[in-house]
């Protein structure tokens, strides 16, 4: 349940930036290969935002798909899970997207 | 507190050095990166922002315009910064640190105790133990003759860079030593948290099943070395070592792998060779088998 720690980092990072201003929206980018579950993060956010200027903020999570490039056949493709395997059979694959774990922006009132 | 798995914040994290009379772990400062600024305290902000519609009726919508602040920063930025600081601290002292991770019961402590017994004259070993509760593992390390600090994470399910820093402060490992960080038994959460270690070692035991790399890919993708432990039990369980190796390499082509039994000692030469290679071991310390007084913490 690493999402709790990560959400606390999120809340701290936002508050470091916004101080006492009321935060109305938080935009995240959580890649599908990042190992972090958006639902768990939302759950934790509700708990941790309570009593802070983030309480009630709209948490929006963009979930970019996993992407990879095959060094054997040179094609770029969507990676549905964490096992880096190209449809050509090659495992010589470089993951190029989907591991994002980013606080993109916040909206303050 | 997480209602999904019971994992909680780390207000309850304790670091114990085991010195003196073996007193119960002393409480440490509240985990400041989680609770700094008193933000959890009683609603001192909530009423400013939360109820503005009930203020003066004529000005109910006189809020400042919404402004978007672009941040574009990693959610792990704070941990990664602390990990980088740990890494510099360790490198500056010539200390090689190995983050040892596995599910509970895979044999981490058994492997470390045996390593201390058999390699203790060649490496100056110290250990930081991570568990939710008890100092049983640190006690085993101290019984084997090496300094150990126990970090109890309370409800937490992994060590993070801040906990390691506090463990390092308590342990104060010697220059040029080899530090093992035995993480909380968990194949999920520790994978995401850089501690500032030199390398990550993941242990899987044959009783767990050979499908673990597929089931817990993040851990095996993060590993520098995978050790398959309890190989002495292979005749009694259905565990295909080659299949496990294939799966792990599919996830992580550069990973090194070893099959050992920490109980019987089979295969441990490979582990010791790997350690000596990666520990960049200094020459044998004079009298290394016996710790000078006062080193044990």
């Amino acid at each position: 349940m690493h999402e709790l720690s990560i959400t606390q980092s999120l809340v701290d990072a936002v508050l470091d930036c916004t101080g006492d201003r009321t935060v109305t929206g938080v935009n995240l980018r959580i890649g599908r290969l990042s190992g972090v579950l958006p639902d768990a993060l939302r759950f934790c956010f509700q708990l941790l935002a309570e009593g802070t200027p983030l309480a009630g903020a709209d948490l929006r999570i963009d979930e970019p798909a996993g992407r990879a490039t095959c060094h054997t056949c040179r094609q770029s493709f969507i990676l549905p899970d964490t096992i880096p395997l190209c449809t050509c059979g090659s495992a010589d694959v470089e993951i190029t997207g989907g591991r994002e774990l980013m606080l993109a922006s916040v909206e303050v009132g | 507190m997480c209602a999904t798995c019971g994992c909680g914040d780390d207000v309850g994290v304790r670091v114990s050095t085991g010195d003196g009379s073996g007193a119960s772990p002393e409480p440490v400062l509240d985990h400041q990166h989680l609770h700094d600024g008193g933000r959890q305290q009683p609603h001192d902000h909530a009423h400013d922002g939360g109820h503005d519609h009930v203020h003066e009726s004529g000005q109910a919508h006189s809020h400042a315009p919404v402004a978007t602040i672009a941040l574009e920063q990693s959610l792990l930025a704070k941990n990664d910064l602390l990990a980088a600081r740990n890494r510099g601290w360790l490198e500056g002292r010539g200390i090689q640190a190995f983050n040892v991770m596995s599910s509970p019961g895979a044999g981490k402590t058994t492997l470390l105790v045996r390593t201390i017994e058999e390699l203790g004259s060649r490496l100056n070993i110290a250990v930081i133990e991570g568990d939710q509760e008890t100092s049983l593992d640190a006690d085993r390390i101290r019984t084997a003759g090496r300094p150990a600090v126990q970090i109890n994470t309370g409800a937490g399910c992994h060590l993070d860079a801040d906990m390691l820093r506090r463990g390092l402060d308590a342990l104060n490992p010697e220059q040029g030593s080899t530090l093992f960080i035995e993480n909380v038994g968990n194949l999920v959460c520790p994978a995401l948290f850089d501690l500032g270690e030199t390398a990550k070692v993941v242990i899987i035991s044959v009783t767990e099943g050979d499908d673990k790399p597929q089931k817990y890919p993040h851990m095996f993708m993060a590993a520098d070395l995978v050790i398959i432990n309890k190989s002495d039990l292979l005749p009694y369980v259905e565990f295909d070592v080659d299949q496990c190796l294939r799966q792990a390499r599919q996830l992580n082509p550069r990973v090194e792998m070893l099959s050992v039994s920490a109980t019987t000692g089979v295969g441990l030469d490979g582990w010791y060779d790997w350690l000596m290679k990666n520990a960049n071991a200094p020459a044998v310390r004079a009298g290394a088998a016996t710790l000078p007084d006062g080193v044990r913490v």
Side-chain angles (χ1 to χ4, degrees), chain B residues 260-277:
Chain B
V260 311
S261 167
T263 302
T264 66
V266 170
L268 286 180
D269 286 348
W271 161 237
Y272 298 151
D273 288 345
W274 186 90
L275 263 184
M276 296 305 290
K277 181 181 70 179

Side-chain angles (χ1 to χ4, degrees), chain B residues 217-285:
Chain B
H218 293 280
M219 181 59 77
F220 288 87
M221 289 169 92
D224 295 291
L225 172 70
V226 171
I227 294 177
I228 298 173
N229 190 26
K230 307 188 187 180
S231 63
D232 52 310
L233 300 180
L234 279 171
Y236 312 106
V237 295
E238 288 188 19
F239 186 100
D240 185 334
V241 174
D242 290 336
Q243 169 72 3
C244 185
L245 295 179
R246 262 196 307 278
Q247 283 183 20
R249 287 244 161 80
Q250 203 171 54
L251 290 163
N252 184 353
R254 64 176 176 82
V255 73
E256 297 182 73
M257 300 194 70
L258 294 169
S259 176
V260 311
S261 167
T263 302
T264 66
V266 170
L268 286 180
D269 286 348
W271 161 237
Y272 298 151
D273 288 345
W274 186 90
L275 263 184
M276 296 305 290
K277 181 181 70 179
N278 287 279
N280 192 20
V284 177
R285 286 192 315 140

Side-chain angles (χ1 to χ4, degrees), chain A residues 1 12 29 99 101 103 106, chain B residues 33 69 73 75 189 221:
Chain A
M1 192 53 187
D12 288 346
R29 222 163 34 247
R99 285 174 157 169
L101 210 50
L103 167 56
V106 294
Chain B
H33 72 266
I69 304 171
Q73 68 184 64
L75 290 179
C189 309
M221 289 169 92

Side-chain angles (χ1 to χ4, degrees), chain A residues 1-6 8-22 24 27-30 32-36 40-41 43-44 47-48 50-53 55 82-85 91 95 99 101-109, chain B residues 1-5 7-9 32-36 39-46 48-50 52 63-76 78-79 157-158 160 186 188-189 192-193 214 217-218 221 249-253:
Chain A
M1 192 53 187
H2 44 281
E3 283 84 359
L4 191 67
S5 302
I6 288 172
Q8 187 66 57
S9 299
L10 160 67
V11 169
D12 288 346
V14 172
L15 291 176
D16 282 348
C17 169
T18 59
D20 289 341
R21 300 167 76 181
T22 300
T24 56
N27 296 303
L28 305 181
R29 222 163 34 247
I30 307 292
R32 291 179 193 272
L33 308 184
S34 69
V36 170
L41 203 145
F43 175 82
C44 296
L47 294 178
L48 297 173
E50 180 89 23
T52 79
T82 43
I83 297 178
L85 198 60
I95 296 177
R99 285 174 157 169
L101 210 50
M102 296 291 287
L103 167 56
S105 62
V106 294
E107 288 146 22
V108 290
Chain B
M1 176 65 68
C2 159
T4 306
C5 74
C7 168
D9 56 43
Q32 294 193 357
H33 72 266
L34 293 190
H35 296 276
D36 52 353
R39 286 170 192 140
Q40 305 285 335
Q41 287 171 11
H43 310 292
D44 47 349
H45 301 301
D48 293 335
D52 43 2
H63 314 291
V66 171
T68 300
I69 304 171
L71 291 171
E72 292 295 333
Q73 68 184 64
S74 167
L75 290 179
L76 290 171
K78 196 163 185 177
N79 184 75
C157 50
H158 59 269
D160 64 28
N186 180 346
V188 183
C189 309
L192 291 189
F193 292 85
Q214 273 185 327
H218 293 280
M221 289 169 92
R249 287 244 161 80
Q250 203 171 54
L251 290 163
N252 184 353

Side-chain angles (χ1 to χ4, degrees), chain B residues 51-64:
Chain B
H51 293 184
D52 43 2
H53 287 80
V54 300
H55 293 167
E56 307 95 305
S57 56
Q59 300 176 354
H61 293 91
S62 63
H63 314 291

